[in-house]
Amino acid sequence: MVSLSNAAGFNGLMRQVQAETAKSAANPASSLFGHFSMGALVVGVVAGLFGSSYFLYGKRQGNSSMLFTGVALWVVPFFISSALWLSLACGALVFAPFVIGRYF
């Protein structure tokens, strides 16, 4: 355990923290958000909101397509890191229950 009263120990601790910070800045995969961009995070949050709404509606109405689409809207943002592809996939999922209900 490092004693903070020891000046060399504290300076050594600070150097170690700065070195770890520099390593994580050089490797974005080890950052707080992983490999996701800010756009992908925003799209993921919006998809989660739609997913919650779809899930609750499907549960109350007994509509399994809305229920499973809600779960899919929760899960899909964990696997797609590109904001463009994520918004396309979530947009398709948002309209999927209506297409399924109309044509199938």
Side-chain angles (χ1 to χ4, degrees):
M1 180 167 215
V2 177
S3 171
L4 293 179
S5 62
N6 185 358
F10 182 73
N11 288 335
L13 179 65
M14 289 305 294
R15 275 189 242 113
Q16 187 178 14
V17 167
Q18 289 172 348
E20 289 297 321
T21 304
K23 274 194 243 177
S24 67
N27 185 7
S30 67
S31 70
L32 179 63
F33 297 125
H35 59 281
F36 293 98
S37 67
M38 186 57 74
L41 289 172
V42 169
V43 172
V45 168
V46 171
L49 290 172
F50 274 97
S52 297
S53 302
Y54 277 31
F55 181 81
L56 289 175
Y57 179 80
K59 185 177 177 184
R60 288 184 185 153
Q61 298 296 322
N63 188 344
S64 62
S65 66
M66 291 291 264
L67 185 78
F68 291 125
T69 302
V71 172
L73 283 168
W74 286 338
V75 173
V76 165
F78 288 108
F79 298 105
I80 302 174
S81 61
S82 169
L84 175 67
W85 289 110
L86 181 60
S87 49
L88 289 174
C90 290
L93 282 171
V94 164
F95 291 112
F98 303 111
V99 172
I100 290 170
R102 168 104 185 197
Y103 295 108
F104 296 105

